Amino acid sequence: MSFRHITLVRFKPELTEAERLAYAAAVIALHRNNGREVAAAPNVGSGPNHYDFAATVDFPDEAAFRAYVASPEHKAYVENFGKPMVDQLAVIQQII
């Protein structure tokens, strides 16, 4: 079994396309630089219940996920990208 972390993002409306791309690059780098695979991409659909971006990351177990959340790299990502760019966030974790 492993531990899956899924994040859905609605960007702040004033974000430029370049800022959205920078956000995506930051998410991908955060995980790949730490040896994790990440599936992250913008939404290509549209609708009132749609989000702009999604990321899915698998961890070996919940302890590894909790260590990631507490890491300085994750905290820096939240401060530099999450808080300034994200309007709404939906998150789910699953044991798979």
Side-chain angles (χ1 to χ4, degrees):
M1 287 193 298
S2 61
F3 196 82
R4 178 166 286 165
H5 175 62
I6 302 169
T7 305
L8 302 174
V9 172
R10 280 197 185 116
F11 291 117
K12 292 183 178 178
E14 66 272 12
L15 253 60
T16 66
E17 186 62 24
E19 289 169 320
R20 290 172 182 235
L21 291 172
Y23 178 91
V27 168
I28 292 166
L30 174 65
H31 293 291
R32 290 200 178 148
N33 290 345
N34 287 289
R36 292 182 293 271
E37 284 298 314
V38 57
N43 181 16
V44 296
S46 62
N49 295 320
H50 286 224
Y51 282 76
D52 300 314
F53 181 85
T56 301
V57 182
D58 290 340
F59 294 84
D61 53 35
E62 185 176 353
F65 168 74
R66 299 286 172 212
Y68 151 72
V69 170
S71 72
E73 294 88 1
H74 180 261
K75 290 178 181 182
Y77 152 78
V78 169
E79 290 302 317
N80 296 321
F81 293 94
K83 288 181 180 179
M85 297 182 171
V86 174
D87 188 36
Q88 286 186 302
L89 188 68
V91 178
I92 185 171
Q93 287 86 38
Q94 304 170 317
I95 296 173
I96 56 169

